[in-house]
Amino acid sequence: MLVRLGVTSLTLMLVVSPLGAQVGARSTRRAAFTFNVTAFVGLGFRGRRAASDPGDGTCIAGTPCIDHKIGSGPAVGADLQLPLMGNFGLGVTGSISRPNRFVCVRGNCRSSRATLTTLRGAAMLLLRLKARVPVYFGLGAAMLRLDPGAVVGQDDTETEYGGVLVIGYDFQPGAKVGGRVAWTSYFMSPSSNSLPGGFEASGIAYDAVITIGARIGL
């Protein structure tokens, strides 16, 4: 009787212990994203906002050949990240920069020396393929506010809307303090408000920003 009881108890221990370990492992599984904030500096490369034909023979057959762009330049900002279910997270980002207007005639670009203040914001759904993988992806909506507008003649504040795609890499993703490098692509719809005659707003403007920052867990 005692031998049979001992064998039964040992069998139960051997069966229950692995199950308990699996349940414990599942309950302590690390989230793919944590609640943190990242302060960053970046360099932005911004696309064409409009094209124009001055009507003085510069362009052929009346086709706009003068491109109006926002110049590249530094930016500073911050990311806020929150965990969601599974391998998903929510990211909110904001930044400010002070680029110049650029005018390009048949590929020859020069600064108009007019400085803009740009405020950019975006909200994204974030994804890691696995919780412990440092690479993550993000997809969402973005807004860009320019003061003044991107094109000569747009003297008022203009607002652009579009989409955003990000690919990032977290150093020490599970640590309280770490680093982050990200490449963010913006696909914006330039504003046609207050465009002078002979100007055509671009359909989609592609902006890219590369950032590096310090990530702090909250």
Side-chain angles (χ1 to χ4, degrees):
M1 182 69 179
L2 291 176
V3 173
R4 185 178 300 174
L5 181 60
V7 171
T8 303
S9 301
L10 180 60
T11 302
L12 288 173
M13 290 176 61
L14 292 175
V15 172
V16 173
S17 295
L19 291 175
Q22 291 179 11
V23 172
R26 289 174 185 172
S27 64
T28 59
R29 179 184 175 188
R30 196 182 75 191
F33 294 93
T34 58
F35 188 28
N36 62 60
V37 64
T38 301
F40 65 80
V41 294
L43 181 62
F45 306 90
R46 304 169 185 91
R48 185 182 75 170
R49 262 51 194 182
S52 67
D53 177 5
D56 58 1
T58 302
C59 302
I60 300 174
T63 302
C65 68
I66 300 177
D67 294 335
H68 300 265
K69 302 181 178 182
I70 305 174
S72 59
V76 296
D79 294 336
L80 178 63
Q81 178 184 285
L82 300 91
L84 295 177
M85 294 178 59
N87 290 345
F88 293 95
L90 175 66
V92 179
T93 183
S95 63
I96 183 172
S97 63
R98 295 271 293 166
N100 293 336
R101 288 171 172 165
F102 265 73
V103 178
C104 304
V105 181
R106 295 180 180 177
N108 296 318
C109 299
R110 58 179 177 81
S111 172
S112 68
R113 300 188 181 279
T115 302
L116 317 176
T117 298
T118 67
L119 299 174
R120 192 187 293 275
M124 296 166 285
L125 180 67
L126 306 178
L127 168 68
R128 292 190 201 275
L129 298 181
K130 292 185 178 180
R132 296 183 179 276
V133 172
V135 177
Y136 69 92
F137 305 90
L139 181 67
M143 180 190 73
L144 178 65
R145 191 166 179 83
L146 307 100
D147 185 17
V151 177
V152 175
Q154 287 185 318
D155 297 325
D156 297 329
T157 300
E158 303 291 343
T159 303
E160 299 178 355
Y161 300 93
V164 57
L165 173 66
V166 62
I167 301 175
Y169 184 94
D170 283 343
F171 299 96
Q172 298 179 317
K176 198 71 174 177
V177 178
R180 171 171 291 180
V181 176
W183 177 272
T184 307
S185 297
Y186 294 94
F187 304 89
M188 308 303 295
S189 178
S191 173
S192 59
N193 293 334
S194 305
L195 280 180
F199 283 68
E200 295 180 2
S202 299
I204 295 293
Y206 173 68
D207 300 341
V209 182
I210 183 170
T211 60
I212 183 169
R215 195 186 71 257
I216 302 173
L218 300 177

